[in-house]
Amino acid sequence: MRKNLIAKESPPLKGRITVPGDKSISHRAIIFAALATGETQVTKLLEGEDVLRTIAAFRGMGVEIERLEAGSYRIEGVGLDGLAEPNDVLDMGNSGTAMRLLTGLLASQPFFSVLSGDESLRSRPMGRVVEPLRKMGAKISGRDGGKLAPLVIEGQELIPIEYNSPVASAQVKTAIMLAGLNTAGETSVTEPALSRDHTERMLQAFGAEVQRDGLKVTIDGWPDLVGQKIVVPGDISSAAFPMVAALLVPGSDITIEGVGINPTRTGLLDLLLKMGGQIEQLNPREEGGEPVADLRVRHSQLQAIEVPVDVVPRAIDEFPIFFVAAALADGQTVLRGADELRVKESDRISAMVDGLSRIGVVLGELPDGAMIQGIWERLAGGADVESYSDHRIAMSLSVAGLVSHNPVKVLGCDNINTSFPGYAELMQSLGADIVWGG
Ligand code: S3P
């Protein structure tokens, strides 16, 4: 049975919270720990379903991964050549990151493997990683000529390439770098805009030679990766939901502690500040090579903006909740240059246009974005809205319910567990009126 969330007009949100660990960093911590030699200890790891899929995949390839306590793991690295052939299909569930990163890694491993996932993942584009990996000599097949999973990988010795990526995608960049790790020589990727750089940072921390020259990143094959201690920062992509909720619900004043503020991830902060959002970064510090701060957020009347196109890659996961902020801003907000949103866990442009228009917002759908007409005080609400089984659509529409005259029921919220286990309960602890319901 699908689980639904019911969100109602909320009293002011108050309190201090922490959000679960960063999803991108958590996947990478498991992957690099497995490929290093010696022990890695990871704390505050995201125990969402996506990361649990990555853990299960590495266990399936013979890596010892021990859960010490909640969020705390010990991984016994096997080295770049120590993975064992998995004896079953590796099921990546809903996780595009796990699927694409492992495709890169497994292309250069001397064994056979098959990667698959849920219905959403099996409809997402894989050609963007398969095509450059084939240029390296990879043998990968799949549906539609390798554009769609399941993917069948016959691991090979690869040759290094210099790849010019047509998309700013950290998953593409990382897939190629992972293939390059196990390949003699220098492999490089140049992107049209800088995508999140957690791979570069973490690989350097594990001891790899990573050079950056503008938008080009180069990795030297066969580095000696050595086990590390990693503290995963709070996920800014999860913090985005209580953050926007506090900006929108009158009288709110909350603090979200220990949020990762890597500049390749803070596009939403920049947009909300530009709209007049009162967000303060307190106690800035560094944890495990990543910048972190506490974010104090207070209710603010937002102004509509035109989203600068260069911010898009730095805010790519946050547009569903940004749509909700724009729906309560004064004026018309315009987003363009965000066609990547159409190939996420759902088509996030049409999913948000559908959901918000059902609760009284006037939006115009564009091929690469949307025009959103802000409503000053409250949305109408009073409708059932579809999450399209997308965790971020589900959470975004539930936040919209907190500032609606009538309750909003969000249908099919099970996948919130992929990235933000405990979401509804954490929002309740701030005073939000969000409950699980039939
Ligand atoms: C991610 C990269 C982004 C992002 C995804 C996580 C990563 O995808 O949307 O949630 O961890 O590398 P793209 O690389 O497709 O932009």
Side-chain angles (χ1 to χ4, degrees):
M1 216 190 62
R2 298 178 88 205
K3 283 170 78 184
N4 307 322
L5 276 179
I6 300 166
K8 294 186 189 151
E9 184 163 3
S10 178
L13 304 180
K14 302 271 178 183
R16 297 179 80 84
I17 54 169
T18 54
V19 291
D22 187 277
K23 181 154 71 73
S24 295
I25 295 174
S26 295
H27 282 296
R28 288 159 173 79
I30 298 295
I31 296 173
F32 298 137
L35 300 177
T37 49
E39 182 180 300
T40 289
Q41 292 230 6
V42 187
T43 45
K44 300 193 195 166
L45 185 94
L46 169 64
E47 294 183 303
E49 280 165 18
D50 280 9
V51 177
L52 298 180
R53 297 286 180 173
T54 293
I55 291 178
F58 279 94
R59 283 185 174 144
M61 294 187 281
V63 180
E64 194 187 312
I65 303 176
E66 185 190 357
R67 185 178 192 258
L68 303 170
E69 54 180 298
S72 186
Y73 286 75
R74 184 186 67 81
I75 299 115
E76 204 49 57
V78 295
L80 281 168
D81 57 357
L83 296 174
E85 181 173 85
N87 62 12
D88 201 350
V89 173
L90 300 174
D91 182 356
M92 303 291 96
N94 192 241
S95 178
T97 306
M99 173 72 113
R100 298 201 179 101
L101 268 47
L102 264 67
T103 302
L105 171 68
L106 295 173
S108 66
Q109 292 291 325
F111 52 70
F112 173 87
S113 52
V114 183
L115 293 169
S116 194
D118 70 9
E119 200 179 330
S120 152
L121 189 54
R122 280 182 277 113
S123 70
R124 296 180 64 189
M126 294 300 147
R128 54 178 60 197
V129 291
V130 169
E131 200 190 299
L133 291 168
R134 281 179 177 159
K135 288 191 205 297
M136 297 178 78
K139 276 202 172 169
I140 305 173
S141 47
R143 289 185 300 133
D144 196 13
K147 293 196 181 77
L148 295 172
L151 296 178
V152 173
I153 304 170
E154 291 170 65
Q156 303 286 315
E157 200 171 301
L158 303 181
I159 48 165
I161 55 166
E162 288 197 15
Y163 186 61
N164 269 311
S165 176
V167 275
S169 160
Q171 293 177 0
V172 171
K173 173 173 65 180
T174 307
I176 297 166
M177 289 173 77
L178 279 165
L181 271 185
N182 207 18
T183 300
E186 287 187 348
T187 297
S188 72
V189 184
T190 305
E191 325 182 69
L194 183 61
S195 63
R196 62 193 65 192
D197 66 354
H198 306 301
T199 300
E200 295 90 311
R201 286 173 186 252
M202 202 184 287
L203 268 178
Q204 264 167 335
F206 273 88
E209 218 18 88
V210 180
Q211 294 152 43
R212 172 158 292 288
D213 178 10
L215 295 172
K216 180 177 180 181
V217 63
T218 304
I219 174 122
D220 246 347
W222 288 103
D224 286 324
L225 303 179
V226 182
Q228 298 294 313
K229 280 198 162 44
I230 297 173
V231 183
V232 180
D235 198 330
I236 192 165
S237 298
S238 296
F241 302 101
M243 193 192 306
V244 170
L247 286 175
L248 300 185
V249 174
S252 298
D253 184 352
I254 68 165
T255 300
I256 314 171
E257 293 172 351
V259 180
I261 51 163
N262 178 316
T264 61
R265 294 287 297 283
T266 48
L268 178 72
L269 281 183
D270 296 353
L271 296 177
L272 294 172
L273 289 170
K274 205 172 144 97
M275 294 168 89
Q278 298 183 74
I279 307 172
E280 286 169 83
Q281 294 184 16
L282 306 172
N283 191 15
R285 54 207 185 266
E286 188 147 311
E287 276 179 10
E290 292 277 349
V292 167
D294 304 329
L295 302 178
R296 181 175 179 199
V297 189
R298 279 175 280 180
H299 170 251
S300 315
Q301 176 55 57
L302 302 179
Q303 303 299 317
I305 53 165
E306 285 207 11
V307 175
V309 179
D310 57 299
V311 178
V312 170
R314 298 173 48 243
I316 195 66
D317 289 342
E318 282 64 74
F319 284 111
I321 190 64
F322 175 78
F323 273 51
V324 180
L328 283 126
D330 183 17
Q332 189 184 67
T333 290
V334 181
L335 168 67
R336 305 211 70 134
D339 34 342
E340 274 293 299
L341 293 178
R342 297 211 180 265
V343 292
K344 294 294 178 187
E345 286 83 331
S346 69
D347 174 342
R348 287 182 169 163
I349 297 174
S350 67
M352 286 309 295
V353 169
D354 176 37
L356 288 178
S357 55
R358 282 176 198 273
I359 53 174
V361 183
V362 175
L363 304 97
E365 184 167 349
L366 303 169
D368 59 345
M371 296 191 291
I372 304 149
Q373 188 56 51
I375 300 171
W376 260 72
E377 289 207 323
R378 284 279 177 278
L379 309 181
D384 290 1
V385 291
E386 183 49 61
S387 71
Y388 294 90
S389 300
D390 181 329
H391 55 137
R392 299 201 202 283
I393 302 296
M395 290 185 274
S396 300
L397 293 173
S398 74
V399 170
L402 301 179
V403 284
S404 291
H405 285 297
N406 297 299
V408 172
K409 189 197 261 191
V410 190
L411 305 174
C413 296
D414 313 58
N415 273 344
I416 290 175
N417 274 336
T418 60
S419 68
F420 200 156
Y423 164 73
E425 295 70 21
L426 194 66
M427 293 297 285
Q428 285 160 9
S429 77
L430 293 171
D433 196 342
I434 298 184
V435 291
W436 292 104

